């Protein structure tokens, strides 16, 4: 008997239509890629010929294999610069590679690249830890009876301080997300709160012109108020830990046009900086200076920025480039100065001298390439990028270039593009980015080393008041008059997460570990997390 063949397989039919043929895989083109370091523009390896569809993770593995300097693999971010004539005014100046060269660059709407080009891919090392972006509100804490004007995390991230129009500052425990202490003593609105970088003291400045010091463990005041200012206190800044770890001094700026430097040991005013002819809006205590002894940067409504020697208060420079009030300042070292010896590992230093060593190492790491740089923002709609002190780097050429610039005291770059007053500017913790917020509802992203424009982040429908960065510099958060907090994705320059929930304007926002805290006119503190 002949073998019976099984009946032919019945063809699958989708709603009466036979199954489509599987699409053949598209052949991927090969492209020549040259990896260069974003820090100095040096090639990391000879140019290599790669398939254009190799993923971003594949590129990362490849760069780590080719780059022989680091033993441990480092996470990288990759981008390709667009030449300015291809990008129209206000368009992004770089393409971030988030999937592959084929998807992100060759099919980019600008059609600036063809497979024949040599792709110069700029690699910048990223933080080895990753912060999870917040997606939900985990607590809404009420307690303040007036709008919340300022909020600041402690350096270790265990505590949060907020200041409000009800004349009180409050401490909140972030582990349990509950109120910890009420700091009452001011006779006017609490306008600024500032942590000492070792978390031993908290300073608050009020509309009554007083500066008060508090012990965060007990919530008790450390002595009486520091009196001297004749008008309200606009900002506070502590001396960096790597300069003075045992008893850092405190600088306060005021509407009365002066800056006072207080010794926390004697509780006296060491010296007063007079010289500004109008309200001093911001004071920043930088860790650099002539021999690394620290400098004070002050920005004022008299349109100038003044730089003072922190030991004795000798005036060093006056920068007169802005055409209107200077309202905000940022240093590229702000984050390491604020967190002192505490980094993402959470180790606690055993002694003051050890804390000083750790803080100095962290500070030196940030300033090694570019020195301590400064961005100032003003009501004239522009920002200026300054580098006043030569970097302490070993290369003579870099120091000489910086010394040449320092002699001229001209800004390295003028950052234009905002259509309204600039409300806030902030450097990312690794100092590779700077972001500025303005009353024109936009946030602009700049290169933190050169001040070149990178992209505009649009999405808010009200003035943007405050910005803050995650510790790994991968996420930017903005707080706005439109009652939302928004997290921005720096790979696509688009909105990553919108955090609505406040019922009125959001005045302050801060980011620690993977928690975001915001406060505003609706008198509540909201904690957002993943």
């Amino acid at each position: 008997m002949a073998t019976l063949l099984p009946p032919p397989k019945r063809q699958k039919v989708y709603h009466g239509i036979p199954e489509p043929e599987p699409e053949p895989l598209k052949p991927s083109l090969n492209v020549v890629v040259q990896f260069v370091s974003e820090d100095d523009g040096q090639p990391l390896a000879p140019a290599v010929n790669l398939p254009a569809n190799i993923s971003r993770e594949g590129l990362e593995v490849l760069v780590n294999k080719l780059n022989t300097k680091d033993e441990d693999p480092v996470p990288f971010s990759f981008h390709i610069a667009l030449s300015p004539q291809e990008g129209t005014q206000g368009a992004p100046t770089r393409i971030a590679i988030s999937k592959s060269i084929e998807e992100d660059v060759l099919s980019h709407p600008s059609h600036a690249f063809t497979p024949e080009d040599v792709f110069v891919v700029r690699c910048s090392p990223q933080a080895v830890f990753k912060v999870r972006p917040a997606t939900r509100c985990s607590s809404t804490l009420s307690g303040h009876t007036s709008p919340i004007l300022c909020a600041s995390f402690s350096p270790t991230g265990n505590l949060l301080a907020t200041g409000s129009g009800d004349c009180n500052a409050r401490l909140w425990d972030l582990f349990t997300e509950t109120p910890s202490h009420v700091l009452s003593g001011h006779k006017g609105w609490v306008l600024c709160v500032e942590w000492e970088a070792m978390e031993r003291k908290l300073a608050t400045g009020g509309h009554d012109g007083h500066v008060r010091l508090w012990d965060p463990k007990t919530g008790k005041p450390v002595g009486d108020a520091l009196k001297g200012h004749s008008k309200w206190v606009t900002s506070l800044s502590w001396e960096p830990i790597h300069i003075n770890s045992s008893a850092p001094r405190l600088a306060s700026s005021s509407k009365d046009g002066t800056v006072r430097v207080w010794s926390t040991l004697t509780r006296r005013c060491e010296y007063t900086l007079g010289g500004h002819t109008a309200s001093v809006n911001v004071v920043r205590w930088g860790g650099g200076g002539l021999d690394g002894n620290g400098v004070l940067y002050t920005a004022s409504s008299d349109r100038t920025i003044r730089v003072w020697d922190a030991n004795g208060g000798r005036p060093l420079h006056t920068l007169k480039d802005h055409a209107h009030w200077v309202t905000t300042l940022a240093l590229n070292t702000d984050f390491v100065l604020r967190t002192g010896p505490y980094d993402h590992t959470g180790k606690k230093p055993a002694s003051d001298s050890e804390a000083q060593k750790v803080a100095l190492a962290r500070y030196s790491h940030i300033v090694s390439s570019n020195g301590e740089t400064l961005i100032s923002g003003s009501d004239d709609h522009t920002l200026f990028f300054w580098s006043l002190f030569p970097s302490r780097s070993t290369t003579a050429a870099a120091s000489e270039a910086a010394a040449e610039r320092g002699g001229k005291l001209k800004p390295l770059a003028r950052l234009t593009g905002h259509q309204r007053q600039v409300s806030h500017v902030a450097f990312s913790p690794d100092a590779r980015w700077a972001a500025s917020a303005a009353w024109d509802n936009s946030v602009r992203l700049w290169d933190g080393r050169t001040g070149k424009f990178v992209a505009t982040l649009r999405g808010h429908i009200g003035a943007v008041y405050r910005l803050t960065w995650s510790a790994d510099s991968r996420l930017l958060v903005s707080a706005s008059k439109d009652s939302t907090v928004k997290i921005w994705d720096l790979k696509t320059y688009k909105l990553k997460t919108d955090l609505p929930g406040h019922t009125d304007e959001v005045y302050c926002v801060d980011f620690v570990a993977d928690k975001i805290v915001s406060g505003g006119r609706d008198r509540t503190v909201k904690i957002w997390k993943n």
Side-chain angles (χ1 to χ4, degrees):
M1 185 181 159
T3 318
L4 267 176
L5 287 169
K9 208 167 171 196
R10 212 176 59 214
Q11 196 179 9
K12 244 191 192 162
V13 178
Y14 295 88
H15 303 289
I17 303 161
E19 184 182 6
E21 290 286 309
E23 279 187 30
L25 281 174
K26 266 195 233 148
S28 178
L29 299 155
N30 271 18
V31 291
V32 178
V33 177
Q34 170 76 69
F35 294 106
V36 299
S37 157
E38 201 194 351
D39 299 342
D40 48 10
Q42 296 298 318
L44 295 174
V48 284
N49 194 343
L50 302 171
N53 61 0
I54 184 171
S55 68
R56 196 200 70 81
E57 290 73 24
L59 291 175
E60 199 172 277
V61 172
L62 187 69
V63 171
N64 277 308
K65 280 274 186 288
L66 294 169
N67 184 11
T68 49
K69 279 185 278 197
D70 304 309
E71 283 81 47
D72 298 331
V74 182
F76 280 97
S77 74
F78 302 103
H79 72 266
I80 289 181
L82 279 170
S83 50
Q85 72 267 10
E86 286 145 7
T88 50
Q89 186 63 43
T93 55
R94 48 171 80 172
I95 305 173
I97 298 176
S98 54
K99 296 190 182 99
S100 66
I101 292 181
E102 188 166 48
E103 281 184 64
D104 294 318
V105 183
L106 290 176
S107 47
H108 191 261
S110 68
H111 298 299
F113 296 97
T114 66
E116 308 296 312
D117 297 331
V118 174
F119 292 86
V120 179
V121 174
R122 301 182 174 276
C123 316
S124 52
Q126 299 279 290
V128 289
F129 60 97
K130 218 177 181 117
V131 171
R132 293 177 305 197
T135 50
R136 63 191 174 94
C137 176
S138 69
S139 315
T140 301
L141 305 171
S142 51
H144 282 297
T145 54
S146 282
I148 295 165
L149 306 175
C150 48
S152 176
F153 281 115
S154 67
T156 57
N158 304 341
L159 291 167
L160 165 76
T162 54
S164 159
D166 60 11
C167 310
N168 290 339
R170 280 173 179 260
L171 286 174
W172 312 84
D173 181 337
L174 283 174
F175 288 129
T176 55
E177 302 186 4
T178 52
S180 157
H181 297 288
V182 181
L183 315 176
S184 51
H186 280 288
K187 296 185 178 60
W189 304 338
V190 182
L191 298 174
C192 40
V193 289
E194 199 66 42
W195 289 90
E196 183 224 23
M198 292 276 285
E199 211 173 288
R200 292 172 295 208
K201 289 192 182 77
L202 171 71
T204 57
H207 202 273
D208 51 8
H210 296 172
V211 175
R212 288 179 178 267
L213 298 175
W214 310 86
D215 177 358
K217 285 195 186 68
T218 60
K220 297 270 184 298
V222 183
D224 199 29
L226 307 174
K227 298 173 184 171
H229 287 299
S230 59
K231 287 199 177 140
W232 61 89
V233 179
T234 53
S235 102
L236 297 165
S237 189
W238 287 92
E239 185 171 17
I241 291 296
H242 68 266
I243 297 173
N244 181 348
S245 60
S246 52
R249 295 171 292 173
L250 175 70
S252 62
S253 66
S254 166
K255 171 77 176 166
D256 63 15
T258 64
V259 172
R260 289 175 177 263
V261 173
W262 310 88
S263 158
T264 49
L265 295 175
T266 60
R267 311 184 49 74
R268 290 224 170 89
C269 175
E270 283 196 8
Y271 53 85
T272 305
L273 307 174
H276 284 296
T277 54
S279 160
V280 183
N281 299 320
V282 198
V283 59
R284 278 280 191 274
W285 200 312
L290 300 169
D291 29 18
N293 284 339
V295 276
L296 286 160
Y297 303 93
T298 57
S300 160
S301 290
D302 63 8
R303 307 199 299 273
T304 65
I305 299 158
R306 288 176 185 252
V307 186
W308 319 77
D309 184 357
N311 292 335
R314 190 166 57 89
L316 300 174
H317 308 303
T318 305
L319 314 173
K320 298 181 175 168
D321 284 66
H322 280 295
H324 207 303
W325 303 342
V326 190
T327 51
T328 174
L329 283 184
L331 300 175
N332 60 350
T333 51
D334 272 341
F335 182 78
V336 290
L337 296 181
R338 173 183 162 180
T339 49
Y342 300 104
D343 60 4
H344 63 279
T345 54
K347 289 196 190 75
K348 207 170 159 52
S351 64
D352 285 355
S353 55
E354 187 191 337
Q356 190 161 3
K357 267 211 270 319
V358 176
L360 182 61
R362 293 184 69 205
Y363 176 81
S364 308
H365 173 67
I366 293 284
V367 294
S368 58
S369 59
N370 221 9
E372 189 166 66
T373 55
L374 171 79
I375 290 185
S376 59
S378 155
D379 278 10
D380 64 7
H381 313 349
T382 67
L383 303 111
F384 280 110
F385 183 86
W386 311 86
S387 173
L388 301 174
F389 298 101
S391 88
R392 293 203 232 148
S393 60
T394 43
T395 59
S399 297
E400 276 160 26
E404 262 175 39
R405 293 197 306 254
K408 292 196 186 66
L409 285 189
K410 277 284 162 239
L412 296 191
R414 183 163 183 245
L415 284 51
T416 58
H418 281 300
Q419 315 285 318
R420 299 277 304 276
Q421 293 90 327
V422 177
S423 55
H424 193 211
V425 58
F427 270 101
S428 65
D430 62 6
R432 286 173 194 278
W433 304 90
S436 60
W439 290 75
D440 62 5
N441 307 359
S442 74
V443 176
R444 279 176 180 259
L445 208 53
W446 315 87
D447 185 311
R449 300 222 159 91
T450 59
K452 284 197 171 58
F453 170 74
V454 177
T456 308
L457 310 174
R458 299 192 187 279
H460 280 296
I461 54 170
V464 188
Y465 290 146
R466 298 286 296 180
L467 299 167
T468 180
W469 288 86
S470 65
D472 62 357
S473 308
R474 288 187 180 99
L475 303 169
L476 172 66
V477 181
S478 57
S480 160
K481 181 179 176 162
D482 65 13
S483 83
T484 66
V485 176
K486 290 187 186 338
I487 307 180
W488 302 93
D489 186 352
L490 298 186
K491 287 205 172 83
T492 58
Y493 312 124
K494 296 224 170 18
L495 182 66
K496 190 181 186 84
T497 331
D498 193 6
L499 304 174
H502 281 287
T503 54
D504 212 332
E505 311 185 7
V506 189
Y507 291 143
C508 51
V509 64
D510 204 357
F511 206 134
V512 67
D514 34 22
K515 289 185 182 175
I516 298 171
V517 159
S518 56
R521 198 164 159 186
D522 63 3
R523 309 197 285 275
T524 59
V525 176
K526 282 188 182 285
I527 300 181
W528 312 84
K529 62 184 186 196
N530 184 286

